[in-house]
Amino acid sequence: MEGGFVAGRGGAEAVPERVKVVAMVAFVMALCNADRVVMSVAVVPLASVHGWSSSFLGIVQSSFLWGYFLSSLAGGVLTDKYGGKRVIACGAAVWSLATLLTPWAANHSTGMLLAVRALFGLAEGVALPSMTTLLSRWFPCHERASAVGLSMAGFHLGNVVSLLATPLVMSRTGVSGPFSLFGLLGLLWLSVWAFRITNDPHDSHLISVSELRLIQAGKTVRPSSASGFPPVRRLLSKLPTWAIILANVTNNWGYFVLLSWMPVYFKMVFDVNLKQAAWFSAIPFGAMAVSGYLAGSASDFLIKSGRSVTLVRKIMQSIGFIGPGIALLCLNFAGTPAVAALFMTAALSFGSFSQAGFLLNIQDIAPQYAGSLHGITNSVGTFSAIISTIGTGYFVQWLGSFQAFLTLTSVLYFISTIFFNIYATGEQVFF
């Protein structure tokens, strides 16, 4: 990114505005995941109190994905039309309120809990499409992978903070404490975001002329607001779109298995207590935050060095799927929680390279429909996450083992790698 300080339009020196934008995006992405993970930890004492089975745990864990599935496409369309600022602000407001209501809903009835978690997911479904569109407008092409890497680093660090903080806060305040903490942080972020960030750098009165020129010079297309519903049939008519869809399906399948079940895995397989399980679960996501940024920086470096965008996207995506596939197979040989955490760290660290693969490829092939295409692919990916999250619970109850499902996940990683390398492209497909 642009080094040092730049002069604003008013003449005062300031941090580049796009750096402030990505910092705010990274923070809300951290809250987005932190709010999800609170339930992954809190579900252990809740299950004990309410007597939930492993199969019902899968239903509870997947309930937010029901709403997430419905809002991904709508969120993408709204983002292309109204911009990322407004859409993610509305989403953060609703998901923060839903987070605050979750403990009350759990004590009221299981039906109310599932409804509140579905509302939570409905609001969170707009986060990634909003991020995609907002960053594509604020960053030149040669910085975009780094910007996405920083934002997704926040996303993954949200896991770490929530996994470590939730058991500590619960031990002092009860189950409702962490839900209140993260819900209120979301509303605080919203109060800053609403008055500080703009949809497009051209609308900012704080950005410098030099920074605006740098952003404009580094763009192949300036996305315009879509006037109507995106051409879904045309978007789905090309194989590069399907390469992204299958990659999203596979990424969500594997990621949500680990996100939703990791604390339960360590508790059931190695009989560690909740605080220890949180530590073993947090380490892989912390490593994922670092590796995701490194993947973005490496991607930008390769493109600046003259490598084709297509080649770079395929390299990053191959690392992002082959690495996790091998690591999950190696869990067969994990005899201690430390070794299991090591393999899971490898799986998530390599998996973060997908951010510089299929996730950025959305902007490559359809820059003017980036939000909508992200919404379409994420809707399908979310459906796969629902299946994998519920399926893990039934596999564990049926076979008494996590490993069979993790092996199935590895096979999916390898198949998706082949398909992406054959059909993906870094060239613009839709104009």
Side-chain angles (χ1 to χ4, degrees):
M1 294 184 188
E2 186 178 13
F5 295 90
V6 295
R9 287 180 177 174
E13 290 190 341
V15 176
E17 283 303 303
R18 67 192 189 283
V19 174
K20 298 175 185 176
V21 170
V22 78
M24 289 292 289
V25 172
F27 190 83
V28 77
M29 296 306 290
L31 288 175
C32 178
N33 241 13
D35 289 352
R36 294 182 194 178
V37 173
V38 171
M39 193 61 183
S40 295
V41 179
V43 76
V44 177
L46 285 172
S48 177
V49 171
H50 297 289
W52 296 338
S53 65
S54 294
S55 56
F56 187 72
L57 271 182
I59 294 173
V60 172
Q61 293 285 56
S62 70
S63 56
F64 100 92
L65 291 169
W66 307 344
Y68 195 83
F69 170 75
L70 294 174
S71 64
S72 290
L73 176 55
V77 174
L78 290 172
T79 298
D80 284 337
K81 186 172 180 62
Y82 298 108
K85 174 189 173 177
R86 296 177 185 175
V87 177
I88 201 171
C90 293
V94 175
W95 88 56
S96 297
L97 291 172
T99 299
L100 290 168
L101 289 173
T102 297
W104 168 83
N107 291 327
H108 187 273
S109 68
T110 54
M112 185 63 72
L113 173 62
L114 296 178
V116 168
R117 296 301 291 174
L119 175 65
F120 171 79
L122 192 71
E124 286 215 339
V126 306
L128 287 174
S130 297
M131 179 198 77
T132 298
T133 299
L134 196 67
L135 295 182
S136 71
R137 295 184 180 186
W138 270 95
F139 284 85
C141 185
H142 64 275
E143 291 183 353
R144 207 165 287 160
S146 296
V148 170
L150 282 170
S151 298
M152 294 303 291
F155 189 70
H156 303 311
L157 285 175
N159 291 331
V160 177
V161 172
S162 191
L163 283 166
L164 297 181
T166 298
L168 293 175
V169 176
M170 282 197 304
S171 67
R172 290 170 170 80
T173 64
V175 174
S176 64
F179 290 98
S180 298
L181 172 63
F182 290 112
L184 292 173
L185 282 175
L187 297 178
L188 178 62
W189 170 88
L190 184 63
S191 67
V192 178
W193 177 266
F195 299 103
R196 190 66 182 81
I197 303 300
T198 61
N199 276 320
D200 193 285
H202 293 82
D203 301 326
S204 174
H205 66 280
L206 298 172
I207 193 170
S208 69
V209 174
S210 61
E211 185 180 8
L212 188 57
R213 287 174 179 168
L214 184 148
I215 294 170
Q216 289 176 312
K219 289 185 177 181
T220 54
V221 175
R222 183 186 174 193
S224 58
S225 296
S227 58
F229 200 76
V232 175
R233 180 175 294 182
R234 187 160 70 91
L235 289 173
L236 296 178
S237 68
K238 304 294 184 181
L239 283 171
T241 298
W242 286 99
I244 294 172
I245 289 174
L246 182 57
N248 202 324
V249 164
T250 303
N251 182 73
N252 279 12
W253 178 289
Y255 181 79
F256 279 101
V257 166
L258 296 179
L259 178 67
S260 300
W261 285 96
M262 206 180 295
V264 180
Y265 171 86
F266 282 108
K267 180 73 174 66
M268 291 183 64
V269 176
F270 298 106
D271 196 29
V272 299
N273 64 44
L274 190 57
K275 289 184 180 179
Q276 290 175 316
W279 273 101
F280 283 122
S281 302
I283 292 169
F285 287 110
M288 190 179 192
V290 175
S291 62
Y293 175 70
L294 293 177
S297 298
S299 179
D300 284 340
F301 174 78
L302 290 172
I303 292 173
K304 290 177 187 176
S305 300
R307 304 298 191 277
S308 73
V309 174
T310 298
L311 176 63
V312 173
R313 299 290 183 254
K314 289 182 177 181
I315 290 173
M316 295 298 158
Q317 193 56 58
S318 296
I319 296 171
F321 277 177
I322 293 175
I326 294 174
L328 292 182
L329 289 176
C330 289
L331 276 173
N332 278 307
F333 308 102
T336 66
V339 174
L342 178 64
F343 287 135
M344 287 187 177
T345 298
L348 288 170
S349 295
F350 285 122
S352 66
F353 278 70
S354 292
Q355 298 165 191
F358 85 87
L359 189 59
L360 279 169
N361 197 217
I362 293 170
Q363 298 174 15
D364 297 329
I365 70 170
Q368 72 274 47
Y369 297 117
S372 300
L373 182 56
H374 194 139
I376 293 169
T377 62
N378 210 39
S379 291
V380 183
T382 301
F383 183 70
S384 77
I386 294 172
I387 294 173
S388 68
T389 304
I390 296 176
T392 302
Y394 278 98
F395 260 66
V396 171
Q397 186 167 308
W398 175 37
L399 299 175
S401 171
F402 280 91
Q403 194 55 51
F405 205 80
L406 295 178
T407 300
L408 175 64
T409 302
S410 295
V411 173
L412 184 58
Y413 274 126
F414 299 143
I415 292 173
S416 296
T417 302
I418 296 171
F419 193 89
F420 192 88
N421 276 279
I422 294 174
Y423 295 113
T425 179
E427 304 299 319
Q428 186 171 346
V429 175
F430 303 100
F431 296 87

